Amino acid sequence: MDTQERKRRAHDLDVTVWVGKSGVDAVVDELDDQLTDRDLVKVKFLRAARAGSSTDEKAADLAERVNADLVDTRGHTAVLHR
């Protein structure tokens, strides 16, 4: 499956992981479990989580921590694939 196909499939996905004021550390285990069960997971970065950095930076950091690929970011939402 190529990147374009992943983006198409991700469009209809619901957000299942929210990153809040506790930051990326608080969701690493949950995201890892979800990526084990399904190949695409949509993550929403709330305002408190983005303090001082961009969604792209936070999403790249999160993807690296769970050994996943960052498929796309739009607004404050990212899609990760493993």
Side-chain angles (χ1 to χ4, degrees):
M1 178 178 357
D2 66 352
T3 302
Q4 291 295 50
E5 178 63 23
R6 287 187 187 117
K7 287 181 182 181
R8 264 192 295 282
R9 289 186 47 219
H11 178 74
D12 294 327
L13 284 179
D14 291 328
V15 174
T16 56
V17 176
W18 289 265
V19 181
K21 64 182 177 184
S22 298
V24 172
D25 294 332
V27 299
V28 170
D29 291 336
E30 176 62 28
L31 180 59
D32 192 44
D33 290 345
Q34 287 191 27
L35 284 167
T36 300
D37 293 340
R38 53 194 118 158
D39 60 337
L40 291 172
V41 175
K42 199 178 268 190
V43 180
K44 176 85 171 193
F45 293 88
L46 303 176
R47 179 177 293 145
R50 297 187 315 267
S53 61
S54 72
T55 300
D56 291 329
E57 293 170 342
K58 292 288 186 181
D61 178 38
L62 186 56
E64 185 177 318
R65 290 181 187 216
V66 295
N67 195 28
D69 296 321
L70 180 59
V71 175
D72 193 19
T73 57
R74 293 200 180 196
H76 303 299
T77 304
V79 177
L80 284 85
H81 170 267
R82 186 180 316 149

